[in-house]
Amino acid sequence: MYVRAAAALASVTGSVVIGVLVLPTAAQAAGKHGGPVVIAHRGASAYAPENTLEAIDEADDLDATWVENDVQRTKDGALVIIHDTTLNRTTNVEELYPDRAPWNVRDFTAREIAKLDAGSWKGEEFTGERVPTLHEYLRRVDHNHQKLLMEIKSPELYPGIEAQILRQLRKDGWLRYDHVTRRLVVQSFSADSMRTMHELRPDIKTGFLGTPAVTDLPEYAAFVDQINPSNTTISADYVRAVHAVRGAHKEPLEVNTWTVNDAATAQRVAALGVDGIITNAPDVVREAVED
Ligand code: G3P
Ligand code: CA
């Protein structure tokens, strides 16, 4: 009954039915603005400290539905949102813990990291922003009714992080049908990590960060739905070649390119036919690519 209802809905919307899952097409995922999906990189990180709750609120203020982040693990096993594998560029860790160089994320406890100021490096007005836990981050994304492109950063440093992330996603309600089918993609520069994620939860959409050779695309397509390359590495031929291969959910592989922060580059990659543009400045990119 449920499958029939899903199929009927899909026939109206053009979505794709996999078992009882209805996955949105790239065009549907583009949302109300049309054109490529605009994804706020580390939140709206041109305007607020990257990977903080303020950065996703700023993305929300700019009407960015999708946000991207980076997940890592602390010494005592907490999942936190931060890009670098060290804490010193984006927090005041050197001031608080001067004798703890090289300030690796994985050498600090969650309690120690919670004391850090992750905002003042970006501007005095952001003083007091914290490094969020994954739990805090997911709650805020939910509160804002946003969608999440979650990157597992340097998974080779954090054995078992894929299963741990899934446990947290489940606790926070992110493995529910509506989240898995419409609001979550997990990506990494590590193909091994994405293979593991796909094996653990085949229903979750995954992406590989990089520009694999066209001849290798079928191999990646066994466990990912997206190929997400740097904008400096792609051509129209490459985007076409990626789209010609069906991914893990039997749909054409999608392309989200990064990191595009100016109008001219946004227009260039949109003309190449990409599905999404990952940007620090979602307002700039949207204005550039809107019809
Ligand atoms: O989402 C694409 C982008 O985040 C990959 O590079 O270094 O900013 O995590 P990086
Ligand atoms: Ca990232």
Side-chain angles (χ1 to χ4, degrees):
M1 174 66 181
Y2 190 57
V3 175
R4 269 208 314 278
L9 175 66
S11 71
V12 173
T13 63
S15 304
V16 177
V17 178
I18 296 169
V20 294
L21 297 180
V22 183
L23 299 176
T25 64
Q28 288 165 340
K32 62 182 175 184
H33 296 287
V37 181
V38 178
I39 303 161
H41 182 237
R42 311 179 196 172
S45 57
Y47 311 114
E50 64 184 56
N51 278 325
T52 63
L53 300 184
E54 181 62 29
I56 46 180
D57 286 351
E58 181 64 31
D60 188 39
D61 288 348
L62 296 173
D63 210 14
T65 306
W66 281 90
V67 294
E68 188 262 6
N69 72 1
D70 303 281
V71 182
Q72 298 188 59
R73 188 161 71 200
T74 66
K75 184 178 180 180
D76 54 341
L79 296 171
V80 289
I81 309 305
I82 187 165
H83 176 270
D84 297 4
T85 56
T86 52
L87 294 155
N88 51 317
R89 181 177 62 86
T90 56
T91 76
N92 61 344
V93 70
E94 294 188 37
E95 195 184 307
L96 262 63
Y97 304 100
D99 55 351
R100 300 272 297 274
W103 302 288
N104 291 319
V105 173
R106 66 180 188 277
D107 294 337
F108 283 75
T109 64
R111 203 182 161 91
E112 288 170 335
I113 288 176
K115 291 183 182 147
L116 302 176
D117 180 341
S120 55
W121 69 276
K122 184 74 176 175
E124 212 177 293
E125 68 273 30
F126 301 114
T127 300
E129 276 300 309
R130 300 293 164 198
V131 174
T133 62
L134 177 58
H135 168 67
E136 292 164 342
Y137 193 96
L138 292 172
R139 280 176 59 112
R140 186 64 65 93
V141 174
D142 251 340
H143 176 266
N144 293 347
H145 304 289
Q146 290 167 304
K147 305 180 183 193
L148 178 59
L149 176 58
M150 176 195 293
E151 181 182 344
I152 307 181
K153 181 59 77 186
S154 305
E156 64 282 359
L157 299 177
Y158 309 110
I161 193 169
E162 298 83 7
Q164 187 182 359
I165 286 172
L166 287 172
R167 285 195 294 276
Q168 191 64 51
L169 287 170
R170 178 180 293 286
K171 273 188 201 157
D172 287 313
W174 275 76
L175 294 185
R176 287 201 302 252
Y177 178 81
D178 63 314
H179 286 70
V180 169
T181 55
R182 302 197 182 282
R183 297 180 56 190
L184 177 67
V185 178
V186 181
Q187 65 172 358
S188 182
F189 284 102
S190 163
D192 285 344
S193 181
M194 290 304 90
R195 198 181 289 107
T196 300
M197 182 58 78
H198 180 68
E199 282 167 9
L200 292 171
R201 280 295 298 220
D203 53 341
I204 292 179
K205 283 179 81 168
T206 53
F208 175 70
L209 281 162
T211 316
V214 168
T215 48
D216 292 338
L217 289 173
E219 194 185 317
Y220 287 84
F223 55 90
V224 298
D225 305 281
Q226 299 182 346
I227 297 293
N228 297 340
S230 162
N231 78 84
T232 59
T233 66
I234 57 174
S235 62
D237 282 349
Y238 187 76
V239 174
R240 248 193 312 274
V242 175
H243 285 160
V245 177
R246 288 187 179 266
H249 289 102
K250 310 301 173 208
E251 271 295 282
L253 285 169
E254 296 170 344
V255 178
N256 293 325
T257 192
W258 44 275
T259 303
V260 175
N261 297 324
D262 65 277
T265 310
Q267 285 166 356
R268 177 179 67 79
V269 297
L272 300 181
V274 301
D275 303 285
I277 302 178
I278 301 171
T279 174
N280 300 346
D283 52 339
V284 171
V285 168
R286 178 173 309 111
E287 194 178 331
V289 302
E290 253 177 6
D291 295 332

